[in-house]
Amino acid sequence: MQIKDQLTNLKPYQPGKPIEEVKKEYNLTHIVKLASNENPYGSSEAAKTAIQNELNQLAIYPDGYSAMLREKLASFLDVSESELIFGNGSDEIVQIICRAFLKPGTNTVMATPTFPQYRHNAVIEGAEIREIPLADGYHDLDAMLAAIDPETKVVWLCSPNNPTGTYINEPSLSAFLEKVPQHVLVILDEAYYEYVTAQDFPETLPLIKEYKNVMILRTFSKAYGLAALRVGYGAANRELIKSIEPAREPFNTNRLGQAAALHALDDQEFILQCREKNKQGLEQFYRFSEEHGLSYYPSEGNFILIDFNRDSDEVFQALLEKGYIVRSGKALGFPTSIRITVGTKEQNAEIISILAELIS
């Protein structure tokens, strides 16, 4: 059997090491996972109650249109219900977009390093990938504009960017959108939106009224703490949403996920608390980095990328043997850096203490 040529050398997504595997491999009982940008405070109690109430409905297919969640989310975001699409995490919407727009002979523009699934899915579709290196950790928007041609179908802007945590401010985004040709779809991936505290971060949802070629991606996996249930969404002009809906799988968001997301929206106090605690946690890492002369990117996400000026796999391994799972920067395009998810105040203090010992 012959598979697509582009799959021959394509590696599947590599998630962080699972907790149980690390426990067994290193004979540890206390493991702290700070690798996958999960919410260390879990999820809203309202979401947990909603899940319990759905357990007797597991034999019934979910609503393929996510009608109740769609209505609630549209009201919360102040958009039309027809301006939303739901996915099995926002990752699936990335896949849907690539499936709908990309094919051999087309190209797509993205930063590098950035979220790897843009590239991954574009490779599968046989499109040319034009990767524009970050400039001092930030999207080089001028260079990205210069890379666009008549065959460009999609431009990806991850803001806050994973793995750097940097963002595109409002003036820069506005200037960029004014220059992007109308035939190019611009994706604003805002998976970490709820963690943002920067005053000049753009309010992007109104842009879908102004630009028919803009789509915003967000998720319930990060700040809402529902990563296991896989619910993400996109917001865009209704004609754009209508055009890509046929590429969406039926029943792609599950019954538990829909119920949990629906009720999580009601608990914005939980989100505000998580945002504030995350900000305080970032400050812990900033102080540590500055005290030890380590460079880092100020982050608007719930993670931080710190340069330890040594092979990142060595730092990763040393932490792993102590029971702390982080992400080596080698696979992320930063071979001397470590990406650390911001944990609780206590978890941050613990890993900072270990890191201080490692570099002393």
Side-chain angles (χ1 to χ4, degrees):
M1 293 183 290
Q2 182 67 40
I3 64 169
K4 285 183 176 181
D5 290 341
Q6 51 265 41
L7 287 175
T8 305
N9 297 312
L10 190 63
K11 295 180 180 180
Y13 179 76
Q14 296 294 318
K17 272 183 169 286
I19 291 174
E20 291 307 318
E21 180 181 327
V22 176
K23 279 185 177 180
K24 183 177 180 181
E25 185 174 354
Y26 296 99
N27 194 29
L28 297 169
T29 56
H30 177 64
I31 304 293
V32 177
K33 185 183 177 188
L34 300 175
S36 301
N37 303 339
E38 295 149 333
N39 188 336
Y41 303 103
S43 54
S44 166
E45 291 301 319
K48 295 176 186 177
T49 299
I51 293 168
Q52 289 289 334
N53 293 339
E54 287 295 319
L55 292 180
N56 290 329
Q57 307 295 322
L58 297 185
I60 302 172
Y61 280 108
D63 173 9
Y65 191 63
S66 305
M68 293 179 64
L69 176 58
R70 181 181 298 272
E71 180 181 4
K72 171 69 75 69
L73 183 62
S75 176
F76 179 75
L77 299 176
D78 193 24
V79 301
S80 167
E81 292 179 30
S82 59
E83 293 173 329
L84 293 172
I85 186 170
F86 291 89
N88 184 36
S90 55
D91 306 50
E92 190 197 15
I93 304 176
V94 171
Q95 183 184 57
I96 289 170
I97 291 163
C98 290
R99 190 176 185 185
F101 288 96
L102 300 181
K103 62 183 179 180
T106 66
N107 69 74
T108 180
V109 177
M110 63 195 71
T112 185
T114 192
F115 184 52
Q117 291 306 100
Y118 312 146
R119 187 183 199 284
H120 184 94
N121 284 286
V123 168
I124 292 173
E125 301 303 329
E128 177 193 350
I129 298 156
R130 298 183 176 178
E131 295 179 297
I132 309 302
L134 297 173
D136 296 323
Y138 291 81
H139 283 69
D140 188 341
L141 296 179
D142 289 337
M144 295 181 80
L145 280 169
I148 294 172
D149 67 16
E151 299 307 318
T152 305
K153 298 300 181 183
V154 185
V155 173
W156 306 89
L157 302 179
C158 186
S159 180
N161 186 46
N162 181 7
T164 57
T166 55
Y167 70 102
I168 301 168
N169 65 26
E170 195 282 328
S172 298
L173 180 61
S174 294
F176 179 81
L177 293 177
E178 283 296 313
K179 298 174 184 176
V180 174
Q182 289 298 301
H183 75 274
V184 177
L185 174 61
V186 179
I187 303 298
L188 307 177
D189 188 345
E190 299 181 344
Y192 300 93
Y193 172 79
E194 288 79 11
Y195 286 112
V196 171
T197 60
Q199 294 300 305
D200 59 348
F201 191 89
E203 188 53 61
T204 52
L205 284 169
L207 295 175
I208 68 173
K209 309 289 187 186
E210 184 178 355
Y211 297 96
K212 293 184 178 180
N213 63 329
V214 168
M215 177 180 286
I216 295 128
L217 304 185
R218 293 183 185 171
T219 183
F220 286 93
S221 294
K222 303 304 182 184
Y224 284 95
L226 300 176
L229 297 179
R230 315 304 299 124
V231 181
Y233 62 92
N237 174 274
R238 67 186 64 196
E239 292 304 318
L240 174 56
I241 295 293
K242 183 179 179 181
S243 70
I244 67 173
E245 272 281 358
R248 180 180 64 81
E249 294 294 329
F251 311 117
N252 63 327
T253 56
N254 66 77
R255 178 176 288 275
L256 299 183
Q258 289 180 25
L262 178 73
H263 288 82
L265 283 171
D266 289 330
D267 193 356
Q268 289 303 305
E269 181 59 31
F270 174 77
I271 299 299
L272 291 174
Q273 291 175 4
C274 290
R275 179 189 300 151
E276 180 57 31
K277 291 175 182 176
N278 183 71
K279 183 179 179 180
Q280 294 170 6
L282 283 169
E283 291 293 339
Q284 288 177 270
F285 286 105
Y286 295 163
R287 288 193 298 271
F288 161 74
S289 299
E290 289 160 8
E291 287 170 3
H292 292 86
L294 303 175
S295 61
Y296 64 91
Y297 293 108
S299 177
E300 291 296 326
N302 68 330
F303 56 89
I304 185 169
L305 188 72
I306 302 175
D307 189 350
F308 286 88
N309 300 306
R310 64 178 71 181
D311 188 312
S312 58
D313 282 351
E314 293 180 5
V315 181
F316 166 83
Q317 185 63 32
L319 288 170
L320 194 63
E321 292 174 9
K322 296 282 190 179
Y324 288 81
I325 311 172
V326 296
R327 203 66 187 268
S328 171
K330 190 168 287 187
L332 305 175
F334 292 89
T336 61
S337 297
I338 291 291
R339 193 193 70 189
I340 306 171
T341 300
V342 177
T344 64
K345 182 179 180 180
E346 294 74 24
Q347 289 170 340
N348 299 335
E350 289 170 7
I351 194 170
I352 284 172
S353 176
I354 294 171
L355 286 168
E357 291 179 8
L358 289 176
I359 63 178
S360 60

